[in-house]
Amino acid sequence: MKKRQVQASVKDERLVKKRRDQMIKGAVTLFIQKGFHRTTTREIAKAAGFSIGTLYEYIRTKEDVLYLVCDSIYDQVRERLYEGLDTKKGTIESLKQGISDYFKVVDEMQDEVLVMYQEVKSLSKDALPYVLKKELEMVAMFEHVVTLCVENGELDLAMEEVKMIAHNIFVQGQMWAFRRWTLQKMYSLEQYIQLQTELLFQGIQGSASAVEFQPDSRSQK
Amino acid sequence: MKKRQVQASVKDERLVKKRRDQMIKGAVTLFIQKGFHRTTTREIAKAAGFSIGTLYEYIRTKEDVLYLVCDSIYDQVRERLYEGLDTKKGTIESLKQGISDYFKVVDEMQDEVLVMYQEVKSLSKDALPYVLKKELEMVAMFEHVVTLCVENGELDLAMEEVKMIAHNIFVQGQMWAFRRWTLQKMYSLEQYIQLQTELLFQGIQGSASAVEFQPDSRSQK
Amino acid sequence: MKKRQVQASVKDERLVKKRRDQMIKGAVTLFIQKGFHRTTTREIAKAAGFSIGTLYEYIRTKEDVLYLVCDSIYDQVRERLYEGLDTKKGTIESLKQGISDYFKVVDEMQDEVLVMYQEVKSLSKDALPYVLKKELEMVAMFEHVVTLCVENGELDLAMEEVKMIAHNIFVQGQMWAFRRWTLQKMYSLEQYIQLQTELLFQGIQGSASAVEFQPDSRSQK
Amino acid sequence: MKKRQVQASVKDERLVKKRRDQMIKGAVTLFIQKGFHRTTTREIAKAAGFSIGTLYEYIRTKEDVLYLVCDSIYDQVRERLYEGLDTKKGTIESLKQGISDYFKVVDEMQDEVLVMYQEVKSLSKDALPYVLKKELEMVAMFEHVVTLCVENGELDLAMEEVKMIAHNIFVQGQMWAFRRWTLQKMYSLEQYIQLQTELLFQGIQGSASAVEFQPDSRSQK
DNA sequence: TATGAATGAGACTTCATTCAT
DNA sequence: TATGAATGAAGTCTCATTCAT
């Protein structure tokens, strides 16, 4: 499945890239504030720094903007996720590191993750599969890392368990963003990482006192 | 915090309740199909079985409908959750049963959970807290059950861990709905419950072969 | 082929008829002045005496207005044509009378005929057939009258000739409207009727001095 | 009345002529397909083989294109009409020949005639007279030929009749194009010419059996 | 209490035209 | 002379909300 093409009237590829980057940047800000539906194309154009006419030289419909935004955010997250997970050698330690890196990425890109998360559903039936595919690719990265641990004998898991775990990790990352209204009141990022990692590895029954919880390490925002 | 009041022009309380129930029923169906923003008030009125004029006798704005819908869904989920968790006596077995019950409720109310989940963000700053409060109450139910286990000595967990666990359970339930496009392709509900429970209790490191996975038990839909 | 239905949101048939009549009346005036394409829906609404929102309660698209206008004009012309031709008894005299009546109708409805004439081409492929069918019905009326003359032995014509004659009469009527910029400078309506009738019956070769031409009878406008 | 000037930024007369010819050629095709209003200047430029910027080096407004197109079509029709009528010597035979030639020209240039016919009204008050003048010149050609016949004693007609006849011939030619949706279903060009000529000369009353009608001679398209 | 016609702000999108390169 | 990116006025249409009946 190739990248879904968004048609532009302008030919110059470099310019298209540049203008779309402006557009995406402006749109993300607006979508964060008011959501996709409550943001007008005029506002997007303005935030991007050009006229409404120019906006439509680079997209066909408003929904194209949403697609471009989602696509861009996914790419960024994935890229950063990839950096972190790429070099892992299939040890538990490296898995923990990978999770920690991912949670930090989500933390840094909270707003973007939130937007992507809340607005994908507004994508047309046409565009949705392209975006969901990217999501699955990210899940697959975790799957891969966990699988390596299994192959190395560090973990003993069935394939179904591996998949489930990968999904859980992925969602727990997103959760930090979409439940921030409560989670981030209770935990610092470090605590969140520590707790989730511990629970993931030890489970409930073995978790007690496995790690010393540090209530004071909460980072201020 | 009391229930947020939605103003109605009509005085007869019984009638208000009746009309709003019609309204919510119709609206949920529509929101499932097209989302809140793409559903018109006319459509809601029609689906509810009365005229647009009548609709506005029972609400003030379109957003009121969304609030009513979210509120109603939360109430239903919470009610059913309560039934399941209420009688639990603080044993691990009862906790497992509670989780299982909850996941089943989510499965049965998938559409509703999805709507609620995707559209809460469209609520005004005014209405949001009321809905989020309900969510926290549900999380608190799990918290309570886990706490009982701790008090009974069945589990050994810090308060922060308890809270985290409650959130995880809650989100993993929702996850079954909002990631159904992939999860429900891979697992039957029973498998999902089994796997998540196992991972929750044993964690990764101890999970292996804890339970025999049954690939063929997948229920057909 | 039934009348093409233009969808209205409003249910009350009587009201629909009334509003559409207002709409048509306003639109004709505007189309006469500036043509269909240069007339905006807002202008139509205003000319009709209601808001743009109300306009769209009675039509679906701007093109519907054009269809309604064309349809209405055709109906009027046809109705009046029918009155004149209906009672004719298949004599040459009655045919002449019918032609004269038709030309007078066209003269009185010049603006409308012109609009219809110039704008039909803007109708969608969907609506066009309905309008062209009406035109053919009008041609058929002349055909019928001429055929009666043939059957009565007053004229001796082949079927192909009858059809051709009917088309010629019809177009010569329209011509009085769409070439008014030159014809109406040269002839009064009476002269036009007299001349065309004479040429139709006598032809060129026998036409000379058949009728005394009356240069002074030109009507003033 | 001189030819209306369309301003160009480019000085080189030869180039202006060349570019405008390209432009007209492309525009006619487009106007045939979608009409003047639904054709964009971009499309015209593209069809002409150059950029939108270049287009505007050779015209001032979109309407200029329409003027150029109409002007060009009229010139072509007139030129070909002139060829046919020029050498006629004022006999009935030559008049018939002239009519036949003219109808054949219209047949060959159907699309163009149709465009010109349907779009002249979109010309501004400013440009219209220039085009109508050309039309009158063509009518005058027929007038001239008929007048010659009168002067030669071949026909006996008053001046008003001559003018009327000229207009009729002219319109009956156009009619072949603008009523082709029905006429060309019923008659071949040859039949059309034959019938119209016969009716023109003999009229209704004398037309019978004047010419043997040949139903089978219809040419296939 | 119920209805549904009326309203008009405002949304998305197009396209003729300009102008710097 | 040729290009095509940029512009923004203006067009069509939608829909939440009101109010007279």
Side-chain angles (χ1 to χ4, degrees):
Chain A
M1 200 196 286
K2 281 184 301 183
K3 214 180 184 55
R4 183 183 129 100
Q5 287 303 322
V6 174
Q7 287 280 353
S9 303
V10 172
K11 294 291 156 55
D12 182 343
E13 289 287 350
R14 186 140 37 214
L15 192 55
V16 171
K17 172 101 178 65
K18 182 182 159 195
R19 291 280 179 264
R20 284 189 178 167
D21 284 346
Q22 292 176 266
M23 187 189 310
I24 289 164
K25 204 168 168 202
V28 168
T29 316
L30 289 164
F31 292 174
I32 287 167
Q33 284 167 33
K34 15 177 20 190
F36 172 68
H37 280 105
R38 291 200 225 275
T39 301
T40 71
T41 49
R42 269 188 164 70
E43 287 170 326
I44 295 170
K46 192 171 182 186
F50 37 68
S51 72
I52 183 69
T54 301
L55 180 76
Y56 276 89
E57 292 285 307
Y58 296 92
I59 51 157
R60 277 256 212 284
T61 68
K62 186 187 175 190
E63 210 225 83
D64 281 346
V65 180
L66 181 57
Y67 174 74
L68 252 20
V69 164
C70 289
D71 197 59
S72 152
I73 296 175
Y74 264 106
D75 275 353
Q76 287 175 61
V77 175
R78 194 175 49 169
E79 178 128 346
R80 300 202 38 187
L81 185 56
Y82 189 71
E83 287 171 23
L85 289 178
D86 193 27
T87 57
K88 304 309 170 200
K89 307 136 300 192
T91 64
I92 286 184
E93 217 38 53
S94 71
L95 174 57
K96 285 184 179 170
Q97 189 59 48
I99 291 169
S100 171
D101 288 348
Y102 166 55
F103 283 18
K104 283 174 184 164
V105 170
V106 171
D107 185 61
E108 283 171 40
M109 299 186 62
Q110 274 179 57
D111 288 336
E112 286 81 2
V113 169
L114 208 49
V115 162
M116 199 186 61
Y117 195 73
Q118 295 179 327
E119 305 293 357
V120 253
K121 68 143 205 318
S122 298
L123 285 171
S124 67
K125 291 281 169 288
D126 195 32
L128 194 58
Y130 291 83
V131 174
L132 294 184
K133 187 180 151 258
K134 287 209 169 152
E135 183 153 331
L136 280 188
E137 282 171 17
M138 284 196 272
V139 174
M141 286 187 192
F142 286 111
E143 228 179 290
H144 179 64
V145 174
V146 175
T147 302
L148 284 182
C149 292
V150 173
E151 288 172 354
N152 283 358
E154 299 241 338
L155 291 173
D156 181 11
L157 297 163
M159 204 247 284
E160 288 78 10
E161 292 171 312
V162 173
K163 282 187 183 302
M164 189 83 274
I165 289 160
H167 276 280
N168 282 350
I169 294 172
F170 187 73
V171 168
Q172 279 168 8
Q174 291 191 147
M175 207 173 132
W176 180 245
F178 71 77
R179 290 181 80 77
R180 63 180 176 190
W181 54 274
T182 175
L183 292 180
Q184 301 192 16
K185 271 192 203 146
M186 294 159 48
Y187 310 108
S188 70
L189 176 62
E190 291 71 32
Q191 287 169 356
Y192 185 74
I193 292 172
Q194 185 190 359
L195 269 174
Q196 290 290 33
T197 306
E198 171 200 322
L199 288 173
L200 176 69
F201 282 86
Q202 261 81 52
I204 287 180
Q205 292 177 327
S207 76
S209 70
V211 188
E212 192 71 28
F213 186 72
Q214 294 137 6
D216 292 328
S217 68
R218 217 184 130 191
S219 64
Q220 309 306 347
K221 290 229 148 198
Chain B
M1 198 196 286
K2 280 185 302 182
K3 213 181 186 49
R4 181 184 129 102
Q5 287 305 320
V6 174
Q7 289 280 351
S9 305
V10 173
K11 304 294 168 213
D12 181 344
E13 286 289 348
R14 187 146 28 217
L15 192 54
V16 171
K17 171 102 179 67
K18 179 183 160 196
R19 291 278 180 263
R20 284 189 180 168
D21 284 346
Q22 293 175 269
M23 189 187 311
I24 288 165
K25 202 168 171 203
V28 168
T29 316
L30 290 165
F31 292 174
I32 286 166
Q33 284 168 32
K34 11 175 28 187
F36 172 68
H37 280 105
R38 291 199 226 277
T39 300
T40 68
T41 50
R42 275 173 155 83
E43 288 171 324
I44 295 168
K46 191 172 181 187
F50 38 70
S51 74
I52 181 68
T54 303
L55 183 76
Y56 275 87
E57 293 291 317
Y58 296 92
I59 52 156
R60 275 264 203 282
T61 69
K62 186 186 174 190
E63 210 224 82
D64 281 347
V65 181
L66 181 58
Y67 173 73
L68 253 20
V69 163
C70 288
D71 196 56
S72 153
I73 296 175
Y74 264 107
D75 276 353
Q76 288 175 61
V77 175
R78 194 176 48 171
E79 178 128 345
R80 299 202 37 188
L81 187 56
Y82 188 71
E83 289 171 22
L85 290 178
D86 193 26
T87 57
K88 305 309 170 199
K89 309 136 298 192
T91 64
I92 286 185
E93 217 39 53
S94 71
L95 174 57
K96 284 185 181 171
Q97 189 57 48
I99 291 171
S100 172
D101 288 349
Y102 167 55
F103 282 18
K104 282 174 184 164
V105 170
V106 171
D107 184 62
E108 282 171 42
M109 300 186 63
Q110 274 178 58
D111 288 335
E112 287 80 2
V113 169
L114 209 49
V115 162
M116 200 186 62
Y117 191 73
Q118 295 180 327
E119 306 293 358
V120 254
K121 68 142 205 319
S122 297
L123 287 171
S124 66
K125 292 282 169 286
D126 194 33
L128 196 57
Y130 292 83
V131 174
L132 294 184
K133 184 179 152 264
K134 289 209 167 152
E135 184 154 330
L136 280 188
E137 284 170 17
M138 285 196 271
V139 174
M141 288 186 191
F142 286 110
E143 229 179 289
H144 178 65
V145 174
V146 176
T147 302
L148 284 183
C149 291
V150 173
E151 288 172 354
N152 283 359
E154 299 242 340
L155 293 173
D156 181 11
L157 298 162
M159 204 247 285
E160 287 77 11
E161 290 172 313
V162 173
K163 282 190 183 299
M164 188 83 277
I165 289 160
H167 277 279
N168 282 351
I169 294 171
F170 187 72
V171 168
Q172 278 168 9
Q174 290 192 149
M175 201 174 138
W176 180 246
F178 72 76
R179 291 180 80 77
R180 61 180 177 188
W181 55 275
T182 176
L183 292 180
Q184 301 192 16
K185 270 192 205 145
M186 293 160 48
Y187 309 109
S188 69
L189 175 62
E190 291 71 32
Q191 287 170 358
Y192 185 75
I193 292 173
Q194 187 190 358
L195 271 173
Q196 290 290 34
T197 307
E198 172 200 323
L199 288 173
L200 177 68
F201 282 86
Q202 263 82 49
I204 287 181
Q205 292 178 326
S207 76
S209 71
V211 188
E212 192 70 28
F213 185 72
Q214 295 138 6
D216 293 329
S217 68
R218 225 191 122 185
S219 64
Q220 308 306 346
K221 291 230 146 196
Chain C
M1 199 196 286
K2 279 184 302 183
K3 215 181 186 51
R4 184 183 130 100
Q5 288 303 323
V6 174
Q7 288 280 354
S9 304
V10 172
K11 293 292 155 58
D12 183 343
E13 289 285 351
R14 187 142 34 215
L15 191 54
V16 171
K17 172 101 179 65
K18 181 182 159 196
R19 291 280 178 265
R20 283 190 178 166
D21 283 346
Q22 292 177 268
M23 187 189 310
I24 289 165
K25 205 168 169 202
V28 167
T29 316
L30 289 164
F31 292 174
I32 286 167
Q33 283 167 34
K34 13 177 24 189
F36 172 68
H37 281 106
R38 291 200 225 276
T39 301
T40 71
T41 49
R42 268 187 168 73
E43 287 170 326
I44 295 169
K46 192 171 182 186
F50 36 68
S51 73
I52 183 69
T54 301
L55 181 75
Y56 276 90
E57 290 284 307
Y58 296 92
I59 52 159
R60 277 258 211 284
T61 68
K62 186 187 174 189
E63 211 226 83
D64 281 347
V65 181
L66 181 58
Y67 174 73
L68 252 21
V69 163
C70 288
D71 196 57
S72 153
I73 296 176
Y74 263 106
D75 275 353
Q76 287 175 59
V77 175
R78 194 176 50 169
E79 177 128 348
R80 300 205 34 190
L81 185 57
Y82 189 71
E83 288 171 22
L85 289 178
D86 191 27
T87 57
K88 303 310 168 198
K89 306 134 301 189
T91 64
I92 286 185
E93 215 40 51
S94 73
L95 173 58
K96 284 185 179 170
Q97 187 59 47
I99 292 170
S100 170
D101 288 348
Y102 167 54
F103 283 18
K104 282 174 185 164
V105 170
V106 171
D107 184 63
E108 282 171 41
M109 300 186 63
Q110 274 179 56
D111 287 337
E112 286 82 1
V113 169
L114 208 50
V115 162
M116 198 187 62
Y117 196 71
Q118 296 179 328
E119 305 293 358
V120 254
K121 69 144 203 318
S122 297
L123 286 171
S124 67
K125 292 282 170 286
D126 194 33
L128 195 57
Y130 291 83
V131 174
L132 293 184
K133 185 180 152 261
K134 288 210 168 152
E135 182 152 333
L136 280 188
E137 283 171 17
M138 285 198 270
V139 173
M141 287 188 193
F142 286 111
E143 228 178 290
H144 178 63
V145 174
V146 175
T147 302
L148 284 183
C149 292
V150 173
E151 288 171 355
N152 284 358
E154 299 240 341
L155 292 173
D156 181 11
L157 297 163
M159 205 247 285
E160 289 77 11
E161 291 171 314
V162 173
K163 280 187 183 304
M164 189 83 275
I165 288 159
H167 277 279
N168 282 350
I169 294 170
F170 187 73
V171 169
Q172 278 167 11
Q174 290 192 148
M175 204 174 134
W176 179 247
F178 71 76
R179 290 181 80 77
R180 63 181 177 188
W181 54 275
T182 174
L183 291 180
Q184 299 190 17
K185 271 191 203 145
M186 293 160 48
Y187 309 108
S188 68
L189 175 61
E190 290 72 31
Q191 286 169 357
Y192 184 74
I193 292 173
Q194 186 190 358
L195 270 173
Q196 289 290 34
T197 306
E198 173 201 323
L199 288 172
L200 177 69
F201 281 88
Q202 263 81 51
I204 287 181
Q205 292 178 324
S207 76
S209 70
V211 188
E212 193 69 29
F213 186 71
Q214 294 139 6
D216 292 329
S217 68
R218 218 183 129 191
S219 64
Q220 308 306 346
K221 292 227 140 198
Chain D
M1 200 196 285
K2 279 185 301 184
K3 215 179 184 51
R4 182 184 130 100
Q5 287 305 319
V6 174
Q7 290 281 350
S9 305
V10 173
K11 303 295 169 208
D12 182 343
E13 287 287 349
R14 190 147 25 219
L15 192 54
V16 171
K17 172 100 178 66
K18 181 184 158 195
R19 291 277 180 263
R20 285 188 178 168
D21 283 347
Q22 292 175 271
M23 187 189 308
I24 289 165
K25 203 168 168 201
V28 168
T29 316
L30 290 164
F31 291 174
I32 287 167
Q33 284 167 33
K34 13 175 25 188
F36 172 69
H37 281 105
R38 292 199 226 276
T39 301
T40 69
T41 50
R42 274 173 155 84
E43 288 171 322
I44 295 169
K46 191 173 184 187
F50 39 70
S51 72
I52 182 69
T54 302
L55 183 77
Y56 274 86
E57 294 290 317
Y58 296 93
I59 51 156
R60 278 262 204 282
T61 70
K62 186 186 174 189
E63 209 225 84
D64 282 347
V65 181
L66 180 57
Y67 174 73
L68 289 173
V69 163
C70 288
D71 197 56
S72 152
I73 295 175
Y74 265 107
D75 276 352
Q76 288 175 61
V77 175
R78 194 175 50 171
E79 178 129 345
R80 299 202 39 187
L81 186 58
Y82 189 72
E83 288 171 22
L85 289 178
D86 191 27
T87 57
K88 303 311 171 197
K89 306 137 303 192
T91 64
I92 285 184
E93 218 37 54
S94 71
L95 174 57
K96 285 183 178 172
Q97 189 58 49
I99 291 170
S100 171
D101 289 349
Y102 166 56
F103 282 17
K104 282 172 184 166
V105 170
V106 170
D107 185 62
E108 283 171 40
M109 300 185 63
Q110 274 179 58
D111 288 337
E112 286 82 1
V113 168
L114 209 49
V115 163
M116 200 186 62
Y117 191 73
Q118 294 180 328
E119 305 293 357
V120 255
K121 69 143 205 319
S122 297
L123 286 171
S124 66
K125 291 284 168 286
D126 194 33
L128 194 58
Y130 291 83
V131 174
L132 294 184
K133 185 179 150 261
K134 288 209 168 152
E135 183 154 329
L136 281 188
E137 283 171 16
M138 285 196 270
V139 173
M141 287 187 192
F142 286 111
E143 229 178 291
H144 178 64
V145 174
V146 175
T147 302
L148 284 183
C149 291
V150 173
E151 288 172 354
N152 283 358
E154 298 241 342
L155 292 173
D156 181 10
L157 299 163
M159 205 248 283
E160 286 80 8
E161 290 171 314
V162 173
K163 281 188 183 303
M164 189 84 274
I165 289 160
H167 275 279
N168 281 351
I169 295 171
F170 187 73
V171 168
Q172 278 167 10
Q174 289 192 148
M175 202 173 137
W176 180 246
F178 70 76
R179 290 180 80 77
R180 62 180 177 189
W181 54 274
T182 175
L183 292 181
Q184 300 192 15
K185 270 192 204 148
M186 294 160 46
Y187 309 108
S188 68
L189 176 61
E190 291 72 33
Q191 287 169 357
Y192 184 73
I193 292 173
Q194 186 189 359
L195 270 174
Q196 289 291 31
T197 307
E198 173 202 321
L199 287 173
L200 177 69
F201 282 87
Q202 262 82 51
I204 287 180
Q205 292 177 325
S207 75
S209 71
V211 189
E212 192 70 28
F213 186 72
Q214 294 137 8
D216 293 328
S217 67
R218 224 191 123 183
S219 64
Q220 309 304 346
K221 292 228 146 196

